[in-house]
Amino acid sequence: MALTKAHNRIISGAPANVKDYGATGDGVTDDSSSILAAFNHVRTQGGGVVEFPNTNNEQYLISYGFRVPSNCVINLNGCTIKATTTFAQGTIPTNGVSGFFVLNEQTAPLAADTGNITINGDGATLDGRRDEQTGTIGGYSLIKMETTDSPVEADYLRLKNIVVRDLTLERSGYDGLYIAGAKNVVIQNVDVKYALRIGIVVIAGEDISFENCEANYTVGDNSNLPADMQGPGNSGEGYWNEPNDSWQTLNNISYSNCRASYNFQAGWKIYNAGADTEMKITLNDCYSSYAGWDDTVPGLIAGAVDPLYQIQLSSIGTKEALIVMNNCVADNCRGSGLGIHRGSGAGIHQRIIVNNITVMNCCLNNSDSINRAPIKIPLATGTPLIHINNPVIIAPTANTLGYGIAINTPTNIRLVNPVYIGTFTNKAVISNGDNGSNGYILIDLDGQVCKTFVNFDATGTIRDDFNVNSITDLGVGYYQLDFDNAMPDVNYVINALASTPQSDRVRAVSVRSDRWLTTYFRMYVEDVSTGAYVDSDNVALSVFRN
C-alpha cells in the first residue's frame, strides 16, 4: 500500500503538523485529541517540531491542554488556540493538562534535566475564554513552566532553556504565564491581558528575562464583578515575583521595556512571603499605570490602592536581596507610584536602588495622607539599604498633594537630587506621623534636602557619609570637612552634635565661620561644661541647602 503524504511526514521525523493528526482549525471542532497526538509523537521521538498551520485564520478549539515534551519547538504561525466553554471539566487523558501548555515532565524526582523548548507565536493568541465558561471553572494558566507538577528541592532549576515569543495570552482561568523553578528563560513580546488572578508570575527561577512584554487588565478580586467571575483574594497584579520556600531563588530576573496597565492591583509586586531566599531583580525602562482601575466600571475604584510598583521584603535574613529599578515610570494611580515596604526580619542584606524614576498623577483622590504619598517607604523594622536617585514627582493637575515622599525608619536611606513639579502643600516639612500619629518622617523634596551627612570618630575616620570627600583631623576637637560636590554658595545650614560613650553629656558643636566655604568648612567640638575643645568618639552632622 502506498504511503500518503501525511503518513510520510509523520514517520520521517519532519515537523508534526497537527492537521496531519486530524486537527481542523475551524473553531468549532474540538481538536484536543489530534493536537495531543502530535505532541505524543514528538515525545516518542525524543523531540521535534509541532506545527500549527495558519493558512486561513485557523482557530484551534481545545477542551484540555498539553504537556510539552523536552526538545520541542512549537510553531503557532499566528493562529488562535481557544478553550471550549467547558475547558478542563471532563476527563483529561495522559499528557493532557488543565492549562494550555505546561512545560514539564511530570514525574518527580527527575532522572535528567528537561527543557529546550521554544514557543514561536508569530502573532498567535491563546484565548482561555474564562468569561464564557459554564459549569465549575477550574483554575488554569495558559503557559506554565514548572520542573514537575509538585516541585521538590532535588529537581529545582532542572527545567532549562525556554523561549516564548510573539504571542498574546488572554482571558486565562488563573494566571496568564506562570514560572516556578525554570532557568535560562527568555520571554519576548508577550502580551498578557484579562488574566483572572495575575498576569505574569515568577515564583522561582534563575536567569529569566522579559523583553517588551505587557500585563494588562488583570481582573483580581474585583467586587464589582459577579462572584463567579472574580479572582481569588488579594489578587489582580500585572507582574508578581515571590519565592515561597527557602530553597527557591529569584536570581537574575530582568524586565526590559515592559508595561503594566489597568490592573486591579499593583503593576509590579516584588514580595517575599516568609522564606529566607535570595533575590536579584532588575527593572529597566518599564512603565506602570492605572493600578486600582476597573475596566468594567470605568474610573478609579475604592479599595484598590496598591502602589504601581510595590516592593515588599518581609523576611530576608541572611541571604542577599538586590532590587534595581532604572528609568521607570509610574503614571496614574489612586495610591502611590512606588511603595517600598518592610516587615519583620533583620534585612541586613537588602539593597534597593531606584534610579531616575518618574512618578506622575499618583495619589488621585488623595486626602493629604502619607499613605498616598507618590513615593512611600513605610519600613516597620530592619535596616535595608535604599538609594533613590534623581526621582521626578509630578502632582496631579486636579488636586494638591500634601507630601511627595513619606519615609518611616529612615536608616540607610539616601535621596539624591529629587525634583517636584506641581502643587504640594507641606514644603520642607519633617515631622512624625500622619498628622502626628503613625511615626513617619515626611520630607519635602523640592530641592530643600540634606546635601551632605557624615558620622565620624575622634580621629576623623568616617563611619558613613554622603557627599563627603574627606575629614581631616586638624587638632584636638578641630576638623575640616571637604565636600565631594561643592555647594552653590555659602548659604547652607549645618546641624551637628557630638558625644562619647563614656558620658551621656552631649558636647556642643560650633562651626568656625571664617572657614565656611563652598568646598569645605571647619568645625570645633566644645565641651558644654568646661568650654574646652575635646575629641569626641561620635560626631554626626548634616548640611542643608535649597
Side-chain angles (χ1 to χ4, degrees), residues 342-420:
R342 173 72 197 147
S344 60
I348 56 175
H349 299 284
Q350 296 177 2
R351 290 180 292 160
I352 300 169
I353 301 172
V354 181
N355 298 314
N356 307 316
I357 189 171
T358 299
V359 180
M360 63 178 75
N361 301 317
C362 290
C363 307
L364 299 171
N365 299 342
N366 175 53
S367 59
D368 205 33
S369 165
I370 56 174
N371 291 319
R372 305 288 173 82
I375 296 178
K376 65 175 182 178
I377 310 177
L379 303 173
T381 61
T383 56
L385 177 65
I386 299 174
H387 287 191
I388 301 179
N389 302 314
N390 309 311
V392 177
I393 304 170
I394 304 175
T397 56
N399 62 309
T400 297
L401 291 185
Y403 314 115
I405 294 181
I407 301 175
N408 177 33
T409 317
T411 304
N412 294 332
I413 297 176
R414 296 183 180 182
L415 305 172
V416 179
N417 298 325
V419 175
Y420 267 174

Coordinates of all heavy atoms in Angstrom, one line a residue, residues 342-420:
R342 N 8.6 47.1 54.4 CA 9.5 46.3 55.2 C 8.7 45.7 56.4 O 8.1 46.4 57.2 CB 10.7 47.1 55.7 CG 11.6 46.4 56.6 CD 12.4 45.3 55.9 NE 13.0 44.4 56.9 CZ 13.1 43.1 56.6 NH1 12.8 42.7 55.5 NH2 13.7 42.3 57.5
G343 N 8.8 44.4 56.5 CA 8.1 43.8 57.6 C 9.1 43.3 58.7 O 10.1 44.0 59.0
S344 N 8.9 42.1 59.2 CA 9.8 41.5 60.2 C 11.1 41.0 59.6 O 11.2 40.8 58.4 CB 9.1 40.4 60.9 OG 8.8 39.3 60.0
G345 N 12.1 40.8 60.4 CA 13.4 40.3 60.0 C 14.5 41.4 60.0 O 14.2 42.5 60.1
A346 N 15.7 40.9 60.0 CA 16.8 41.8 60.1 C 17.0 42.7 58.9 O 17.3 43.9 59.0 CB 18.1 41.0 60.4
G347 N 16.9 42.0 57.7 CA 17.1 42.8 56.5 C 18.4 43.4 56.2 O 18.6 44.3 55.5
I348 N 19.5 42.8 56.8 CA 20.8 43.4 56.7 C 21.4 43.2 55.4 O 22.4 43.9 55.1 CB 21.7 42.8 57.8 CG1 21.8 41.2 57.7 CG2 21.3 43.1 59.2 CD1 22.8 40.6 58.6
H349 N 20.9 42.3 54.5 CA 21.5 42.1 53.2 C 20.6 42.6 52.1 O 20.7 42.3 50.9 CB 21.8 40.6 53.0 CG 22.7 40.1 54.0 ND1 24.1 40.3 53.9 CD2 22.6 39.3 55.1 CE1 24.7 39.7 54.9 NE2 23.8 39.1 55.6
Q350 N 19.6 43.5 52.4 CA 18.7 44.0 51.4 C 19.3 45.3 50.8 O 19.7 46.2 51.6 CB 17.3 44.3 52.1 CG 16.6 43.1 52.6 CD 15.3 43.5 53.2 OE1 15.0 44.6 53.3 NE2 14.6 42.5 53.7
R351 N 19.2 45.4 49.5 CA 19.6 46.6 48.8 C 18.5 46.9 47.8 O 18.2 46.1 46.9 CB 21.0 46.5 48.2 CG 22.1 46.4 49.2 CD 23.4 46.3 48.4 NE 23.6 45.0 47.8 CZ 24.4 44.8 46.8 NH1 25.2 45.8 46.3 NH2 24.5 43.6 46.2
I352 N 18.0 48.1 47.8 CA 17.0 48.6 46.8 C 17.5 49.9 46.2 O 17.7 50.8 46.9 CB 15.6 48.8 47.4 CG1 15.2 47.4 48.1 CG2 14.6 49.3 46.4 CD1 13.9 47.6 49.0
I353 N 17.8 49.9 44.9 CA 18.3 51.0 44.2 C 17.4 51.4 43.1 O 17.0 50.7 42.2 CB 19.7 50.7 43.6 CG1 20.7 50.3 44.8 CG2 20.3 51.9 42.9 CD1 22.0 49.7 44.3
V354 N 16.9 52.7 43.2 CA 15.9 53.2 42.3 C 16.6 54.4 41.6 O 16.8 55.4 42.2 CB 14.6 53.6 42.9 CG1 13.6 54.1 41.9 CG2 14.0 52.4 43.7
N355 N 16.8 54.3 40.3 CA 17.5 55.4 39.5 C 16.5 56.0 38.5 O 15.9 55.3 37.7 CB 18.7 54.9 38.8 CG 19.8 54.3 39.7 OD1 20.1 54.9 40.7 ND2 20.3 53.2 39.4
N356 N 16.3 57.3 38.6 CA 15.6 58.1 37.6 C 14.2 57.6 37.4 O 13.7 57.5 36.3 CB 16.4 58.0 36.2 CG 17.8 58.3 36.3 OD1 18.2 59.3 37.0 ND2 18.7 57.5 35.7
I357 N 13.5 57.4 38.5 CA 12.1 57.1 38.4 C 11.2 58.4 38.2 O 11.5 59.4 38.8 CB 11.6 56.3 39.6 CG1 10.1 55.8 39.3 CG2 11.6 57.1 40.9 CD1 9.6 54.8 40.4
T358 N 10.2 58.3 37.4 CA 9.2 59.4 37.3 C 7.9 59.0 37.8 O 7.4 57.9 37.3 CB 9.1 59.9 35.8 OG1 10.4 60.3 35.3 CG2 8.1 61.0 35.7
V359 N 7.4 59.7 38.8 CA 6.1 59.3 39.3 C 5.1 60.5 39.1 O 5.3 61.6 39.5 CB 6.2 59.1 40.9 CG1 4.8 58.8 41.5 CG2 7.2 58.0 41.2
M360 N 4.1 60.2 38.3 CA 3.2 61.3 37.9 C 1.7 60.9 38.1 O 1.3 59.8 38.0 CB 3.4 61.7 36.4 CG 3.1 60.5 35.4 SD 3.3 61.0 33.7 CE 5.1 61.0 33.6
N361 N 0.9 61.9 38.5 CA -0.5 61.7 38.6 C -0.9 60.6 39.5 O -1.9 59.9 39.3 CB -1.1 61.5 37.2 CG -0.9 62.7 36.3 OD1 -1.0 63.9 36.7 ND2 -0.5 62.4 35.1
C362 N -0.1 60.4 40.6 CA -0.5 59.4 41.5 C -1.1 60.0 42.8 O -1.1 61.2 42.9 CB 0.8 58.6 41.9 SG 1.4 57.5 40.6
C363 N -1.6 59.2 43.6 CA -2.4 59.6 44.8 C -3.6 60.4 44.4 O -4.0 61.4 45.0 CB -1.5 60.4 45.7 SG 0.0 59.6 46.2
L364 N -4.3 59.9 43.3 CA -5.5 60.6 42.9 C -6.6 60.4 44.0 O -6.6 59.3 44.7 CB -6.0 59.9 41.6 CG -5.1 60.1 40.4 CD1 -5.6 59.2 39.3 CD2 -5.0 61.5 40.0
N365 N -7.4 61.3 44.2 CA -8.4 61.3 45.3 C -7.7 61.4 46.7 O -8.2 60.9 47.7 CB -9.3 60.1 45.3 CG -10.2 60.1 44.0 OD1 -10.3 61.1 43.3 ND2 -10.7 59.0 43.7
N366 N -6.5 61.9 46.6 CA -5.6 62.0 47.9 C -6.3 62.9 48.9 O -6.8 63.9 48.7 CB -4.3 62.6 47.5 CG -3.4 62.8 48.7 OD1 -3.2 61.9 49.5 ND2 -2.9 64.0 48.9
S367 N -6.3 62.4 50.2 CA -6.8 63.1 51.3 C -5.7 63.6 52.2 O -5.9 63.6 53.4 CB -7.8 62.2 52.1 OG -7.1 61.1 52.5
D368 N -4.6 64.1 51.6 CA -3.5 64.6 52.3 C -3.0 63.6 53.3 O -2.6 63.9 54.5 CB -3.9 65.9 53.1 CG -2.7 66.8 53.3 OD1 -1.8 66.8 52.5 OD2 -2.7 67.5 54.4
S369 N -2.9 62.3 52.9 CA -2.4 61.2 53.8 C -1.1 60.7 53.3 O -0.8 60.6 52.1 CB -3.5 60.1 53.7 OG -2.9 58.9 54.3
I370 N -0.2 60.4 54.3 CA 1.1 59.9 53.9 C 1.0 58.5 53.3 O 1.8 58.1 52.5 CB 2.0 59.8 55.1 CG1 1.3 59.0 56.2 CG2 2.4 61.1 55.6 CD1 2.2 58.7 57.4
N371 N -0.1 57.8 53.5 CA -0.3 56.5 52.9 C -0.6 56.6 51.4 O -0.6 55.7 50.7 CB -1.5 55.8 53.5 CG -1.2 55.3 54.9 OD1 -0.1 54.9 55.2 ND2 -2.2 55.5 55.8
R372 N -0.8 57.9 50.9 CA -0.9 58.1 49.5 C 0.2 59.0 48.9 O 0.0 59.6 47.9 CB -2.3 58.8 49.2 CG -3.5 58.0 49.8 CD -3.8 56.8 49.0 NE -4.8 56.0 49.7 CZ -6.1 56.2 49.6 NH1 -6.5 57.2 48.8 NH2 -7.0 55.4 50.2
A373 N 1.3 59.1 49.6 CA 2.4 59.8 49.0 C 2.9 59.2 47.7 O 2.9 57.9 47.6 CB 3.6 59.9 50.0
P374 N 3.3 59.9 46.7 CA 3.7 59.3 45.4 C 4.8 58.3 45.6 O 4.8 57.3 44.9 CB 4.2 60.6 44.7 CG 3.4 61.7 45.2 CD 3.2 61.4 46.6
I375 N 5.8 58.6 46.5 CA 6.7 57.5 46.9 C 6.6 57.3 48.4 O 6.8 58.3 49.2 CB 8.2 57.9 46.5 CG1 8.3 58.1 45.0 CG2 9.2 56.9 47.1 CD1 9.7 58.5 44.6
K376 N 6.3 56.1 48.8 CA 6.2 55.9 50.3 C 7.1 54.7 50.7 O 7.2 53.7 50.0 CB 4.8 55.6 50.7 CG 4.2 54.3 50.1 CD 2.8 54.1 50.7 CE 2.1 52.8 50.2 NZ 0.8 52.6 50.8
I377 N 7.8 54.9 51.8 CA 8.7 53.9 52.3 C 8.3 53.6 53.8 O 9.0 54.1 54.7 CB 10.1 54.3 52.2 CG1 10.4 54.8 50.7 CG2 11.1 53.2 52.5 CD1 11.8 55.3 50.5
P378 N 7.3 52.8 54.0 CA 6.9 52.5 55.4 C 7.6 51.3 55.9 O 7.1 50.2 56.0 CB 5.4 52.3 55.3 CG 5.2 51.7 53.9 CD 6.3 52.4 53.1
L379 N 8.9 51.5 56.4 CA 9.7 50.4 56.9 C 9.4 50.2 58.4 O 9.6 51.0 59.2 CB 11.2 50.7 56.7 CG 11.6 51.1 55.3 CD1 13.0 51.5 55.3 CD2 11.4 49.8 54.4
A380 N 8.8 49.0 58.7 CA 8.5 48.7 60.1 C 9.7 48.4 60.9 O 9.9 48.9 62.0 CB 7.5 47.6 60.1
T381 N 10.6 47.5 60.4 CA 11.8 47.1 61.1 C 12.9 46.9 60.1 O 12.7 46.9 58.9 CB 11.6 45.8 61.9 OG1 11.2 44.8 61.0 CG2 10.5 46.0 62.9
G382 N 14.1 46.5 60.6 CA 15.2 46.2 59.7 C 15.9 47.4 59.2 O 15.5 48.5 59.4
T383 N 17.0 47.1 58.5 CA 17.9 48.2 58.0 C 18.3 48.0 56.6 O 19.5 47.8 56.3 CB 19.1 48.4 58.9 OG1 19.8 47.1 59.0 CG2 18.8 48.8 60.3
P384 N 17.4 47.9 55.7 CA 17.8 47.8 54.3 C 18.5 49.0 53.8 O 18.2 50.1 54.3 CB 16.4 47.5 53.5 CG 15.4 48.3 54.4 CD 15.9 48.1 55.8
L385 N 19.3 48.9 52.8 CA 20.0 50.0 52.2 C 19.1 50.4 51.0 O 19.0 49.6 50.0 CB 21.4 49.6 51.7 CG 22.2 50.7 51.0 CD1 22.4 51.9 51.9 CD2 23.5 50.1 50.4
I386 N 18.6 51.6 51.0 CA 17.7 52.1 49.9 C 18.3 53.4 49.4 O 18.5 54.4 50.1 CB 16.3 52.4 50.5 CG1 15.7 51.1 51.0 CG2 15.4 52.9 49.3 CD1 14.3 51.3 51.7
H387 N 18.5 53.4 48.1 CA 19.0 54.6 47.4 C 17.9 55.0 46.3 O 17.6 54.2 45.5 CB 20.3 54.4 46.6 CG 21.5 54.2 47.5 ND1 22.8 54.2 47.1 CD2 21.6 54.1 48.9 CE1 23.6 54.1 48.1 NE2 22.9 54.1 49.2
I388 N 17.5 56.2 46.4 CA 16.5 56.7 45.4 C 17.2 57.9 44.8 O 17.4 59.0 45.4 CB 15.2 57.1 46.0 CG1 14.5 55.9 46.7 CG2 14.2 57.7 45.0 CD1 13.2 56.1 47.3
N389 N 17.6 57.8 43.5 CA 18.4 58.8 42.9 C 17.6 59.4 41.7 O 17.1 58.8 40.9 CB 19.7 58.1 42.3 CG 20.5 57.4 43.3 OD1 20.8 58.0 44.4 ND2 21.0 56.2 43.0
N390 N 17.6 60.8 41.8 CA 17.0 61.6 40.7 C 15.5 61.3 40.4 O 15.1 61.2 39.3 CB 17.8 61.4 39.4 CG 19.3 61.6 39.6 OD1 19.7 62.6 40.1 ND2 20.1 60.7 39.1
P391 N 14.7 61.1 41.5 CA 13.3 60.9 41.2 C 12.6 62.2 40.8 O 13.0 63.3 41.2 CB 12.8 60.5 42.6 CG 13.7 61.2 43.6 CD 15.0 61.2 42.9
V392 N 11.6 62.1 39.9 CA 10.8 63.2 39.5 C 9.4 63.0 39.9 O 8.8 61.9 39.5 CB 10.9 63.5 38.0 CG1 10.0 64.6 37.5 CG2 12.4 63.8 37.6
I393 N 8.8 63.8 40.7 CA 7.4 63.7 41.2 C 6.6 64.8 40.6 O 6.8 65.9 40.9 CB 7.4 63.7 42.7 CG1 8.4 62.6 43.3 CG2 6.0 63.5 43.3 CD1 8.6 62.7 44.8
I394 N 5.6 64.4 39.9 CA 4.7 65.3 39.2 C 3.3 65.2 39.8 O 2.7 64.1 39.8 CB 4.6 65.0 37.7 CG1 6.0 65.1 37.1 CG2 3.7 66.0 37.0 CD1 6.1 64.7 35.6
A395 N 2.8 66.2 40.4 CA 1.5 66.2 41.1 C 0.4 66.1 40.1 O 0.5 66.7 39.0 CB 1.3 67.4 42.0
P396 N -0.8 65.5 40.4 CA -1.9 65.6 39.5 C -2.4 67.0 39.3 O -2.3 67.8 40.3 CB -3.0 64.8 40.3 CG -2.2 63.9 41.3 CD -1.0 64.7 41.6
T397 N -2.8 67.4 38.2 CA -3.3 68.7 37.9 C -4.6 69.1 38.6 O -4.9 70.2 38.8 CB -3.4 68.9 36.4 OG1 -4.4 67.9 35.9 CG2 -2.1 68.7 35.7
A398 N -5.3 68.0 38.9 CA -6.7 68.3 39.5 C -6.7 68.5 41.0 O -7.6 69.0 41.6 CB -7.6 67.1 39.2
N399 N -5.6 68.2 41.7 CA -5.6 68.4 43.2 C -4.2 68.6 43.7 O -3.2 68.4 43.0 CB -6.2 67.2 43.8 CG -5.5 65.9 43.6 OD1 -5.2 65.5 42.5 ND2 -5.2 65.2 44.7
T400 N -4.1 69.1 44.9 CA -2.8 69.4 45.6 C -2.4 68.2 46.4 O -3.3 67.6 47.1 CB -3.0 70.6 46.4 OG1 -3.3 71.7 45.6 CG2 -1.7 70.9 47.2
L401 N -1.2 67.8 46.4 CA -0.7 66.8 47.2 C 0.0 67.4 48.5 O 0.7 68.4 48.4 CB 0.4 65.9 46.5 CG -0.2 65.1 45.4 CD1 0.9 64.2 44.8 CD2 -1.3 64.2 45.8
G402 N -0.2 66.7 49.6 CA 0.4 67.1 50.8 C 1.9 66.7 50.9 O 2.7 67.5 51.4
Y403 N 2.2 65.6 50.4 CA 3.6 65.0 50.6 C 4.1 64.4 49.3 O 3.3 63.9 48.6 CB 3.6 64.0 51.7 CG 2.8 64.4 53.0 CD1 1.7 63.7 53.4 CD2 3.3 65.5 53.7 CE1 1.0 64.1 54.5 CE2 2.6 65.9 54.9 CZ 1.5 65.2 55.2 OH 0.8 65.6 56.4
G404 N 5.4 64.5 49.1 CA 6.0 63.9 47.9 C 6.5 62.5 48.3 O 6.3 61.6 47.5
I405 N 7.3 62.5 49.4 CA 7.9 61.2 49.8 C 7.6 61.0 51.3 O 7.8 61.9 52.1 CB 9.4 61.1 49.5 CG1 9.6 61.2 48.0 CG2 10.0 59.9 50.1 CD1 11.0 61.1 47.6
A406 N 7.1 59.8 51.7 CA 6.9 59.5 53.1 C 7.8 58.4 53.5 O 7.8 57.3 52.9 CB 5.5 59.1 53.3
I407 N 8.6 58.6 54.6 CA 9.6 57.6 55.0 C 9.4 57.3 56.5 O 9.3 58.2 57.3 CB 11.0 58.1 54.7 CG1 11.2 58.4 53.3 CG2 12.0 57.0 55.2 CD1 12.6 59.0 53.0
N408 N 9.4 56.0 56.8 CA 9.4 55.6 58.2 C 10.7 54.9 58.4 O 11.2 54.1 57.6 CB 8.2 54.7 58.5 CG 8.2 54.2 59.9 OD1 8.6 54.9 60.8 ND2 7.7 53.0 60.1
T409 N 11.3 55.1 59.6 CA 12.6 54.4 60.0 C 13.6 54.7 58.9 O 14.0 53.7 58.2 CB 12.4 52.9 60.2 OG1 11.2 52.7 60.9 CG2 13.6 52.3 60.9
P410 N 14.1 55.9 58.8 CA 15.0 56.2 57.6 C 16.4 55.9 57.8 O 17.3 56.6 57.4 CB 14.8 57.8 57.5 CG 14.6 58.2 59.0 CD 13.8 57.1 59.6
T411 N 16.7 54.7 58.3 CA 18.1 54.2 58.4 C 18.6 53.7 57.0 O 17.9 53.0 56.4 CB 18.2 53.1 59.4 OG1 17.7 53.5 60.7 CG2 19.6 52.6 59.6
N412 N 19.8 54.2 56.6 CA 20.4 53.7 55.4 C 19.5 54.1 54.1 O 19.6 53.4 53.1 CB 20.6 52.2 55.4 CG 21.7 51.8 56.4 OD1 22.5 52.6 56.7 ND2 21.6 50.6 56.9
I413 N 18.8 55.2 54.2 CA 18.0 55.7 53.0 C 18.7 56.9 52.5 O 18.9 57.9 53.3 CB 16.6 55.9 53.4 CG1 15.9 54.6 53.9 CG2 15.8 56.5 52.2 CD1 14.5 54.8 54.3
R414 N 19.0 57.0 51.2 CA 19.6 58.1 50.6 C 18.7 58.6 49.5 O 18.3 57.8 48.6 CB 20.9 57.8 50.0 CG 21.9 57.4 51.1 CD 23.3 57.2 50.5 NE 24.3 56.8 51.6 CZ 25.6 56.5 51.4 NH1 26.0 56.7 50.2 NH2 26.4 56.2 52.4
L415 N 18.4 59.9 49.5 CA 17.6 60.5 48.4 C 18.5 61.5 47.7 O 19.0 62.4 48.4 CB 16.4 61.2 49.0 CG 15.4 60.4 49.9 CD1 14.4 61.2 50.5 CD2 14.8 59.3 49.0
V416 N 18.7 61.4 46.5 CA 19.6 62.3 45.7 C 18.9 63.0 44.6 O 18.2 62.4 43.8 CB 20.8 61.4 45.2 CG1 21.7 62.3 44.4 CG2 21.5 60.7 46.3
N417 N 19.0 64.3 44.6 CA 18.5 65.2 43.5 C 17.1 64.9 43.1 O 16.8 64.8 41.9 CB 19.4 65.0 42.3 CG 20.9 65.4 42.5 OD1 21.1 66.3 43.2 ND2 21.8 64.7 41.9
P418 N 16.2 65.0 44.1 CA 14.8 64.8 43.7 C 14.2 66.1 43.1 O 14.7 67.2 43.4 CB 14.1 64.5 45.0 CG 15.0 65.1 46.0 CD 16.4 65.1 45.5
V419 N 13.2 66.0 42.3 CA 12.5 67.2 41.7 C 11.0 67.1 41.9 O 10.4 66.0 41.6 CB 12.9 67.2 40.2 CG1 12.1 68.4 39.5 CG2 14.4 67.4 40.0
Y420 N 10.4 68.2 42.3 CA 8.9 68.3 42.4 C 8.4 69.1 41.2 O 9.0 70.2 40.9 CB 8.5 69.0 43.6 CG 8.3 68.1 44.8 CD1 8.0 68.7 46.1 CD2 8.2 66.8 44.8 CE1 7.7 68.0 47.2 CE2 8.0 66.0 45.9 CZ 7.7 66.6 47.1 OH 7.4 65.9 48.2

